[in-house]
């Protein structure tokens, strides 16, 4: 799978509305056949920073995502709400779902 984590520094005046601002983009991406997950989290240390954790089935699914109309719309719309260009980590991982964190296993 293609595993991506991106940090978005949102202008403070838009930070509380970021989930609403990205709502259509998020829902459209989650509906893509190759999208495994697309989840936003808000930083505990900086309320204007959001982290996006996303995964796509394979290279073809990742390519389809960045060529989609909703991705193009997000490229046009979202930068106006940002302080800086988002930072990203993008890698290929030989799995297709989350693995368990064995060091913190929950006993039955």
């Amino acid at each position: 799978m293609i595993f991506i984590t991106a940090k978005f520094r949102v202008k403070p005046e838009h930070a509380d509305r970021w989930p609403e601002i990205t709502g259509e983009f998020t829902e459209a991406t989650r509906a893509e056949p190759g999208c495994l997950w697309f989840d936003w989290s808000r930083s505990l240390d900086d309320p204007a920073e959001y982290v996006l954790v996303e995964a796509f089935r394979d290279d073809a699914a990742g390519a389809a995502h960045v060529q989609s109309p909703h991705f193009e719309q997000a490229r046009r719309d979202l930068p106006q709400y940002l302080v800086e260009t988002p930072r990203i980590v993008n890698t290929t991982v030989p799995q297709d779902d989350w693995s368990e964190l064995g060091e913190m296993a929950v006993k039955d």
Side-chain angles (χ1 to χ4, degrees):
M1 75 175 155
I2 306 301
F3 185 81
I4 302 163
T5 303
K7 287 189 173 192
F8 291 75
R9 291 197 55 231
V10 180
K11 292 177 182 175
E13 64 269 25
H14 302 294
D16 287 339
R17 292 187 43 246
W18 188 247
E20 174 189 338
I21 291 166
T22 60
E24 287 182 26
F25 174 55
T26 298
E27 291 307 312
T29 301
R30 288 177 177 167
E32 293 174 21
C35 180
L36 300 175
W37 58 81
F38 195 84
D39 299 322
W40 293 96
S41 297
R42 194 173 193 178
S43 172
L44 296 175
D45 297 325
D46 179 355
E49 182 178 80
Y50 284 83
V51 176
L52 176 60
V53 179
E54 54 188 304
F56 297 91
R57 182 183 60 244
D58 53 26
D59 288 334
H65 170 62
V66 298
Q67 294 169 7
S68 69
H70 53 273
F71 187 87
E72 284 298 317
Q73 187 70 46
R75 285 184 53 193
R76 286 190 298 272
D77 294 346
L78 297 184
Q80 67 183 311
Y81 300 102
L82 301 174
V83 172
E84 63 187 16
T85 301
R87 292 170 289 144
I88 188 171
V89 175
N90 181 335
T91 191
T92 301
V93 180
Q95 62 192 67
D96 61 2
D97 202 354
W98 291 92
S99 299
E100 289 186 349
L101 178 59
E103 295 83 357
M104 293 190 185
V106 176
K107 308 256 189 248
D108 293 336

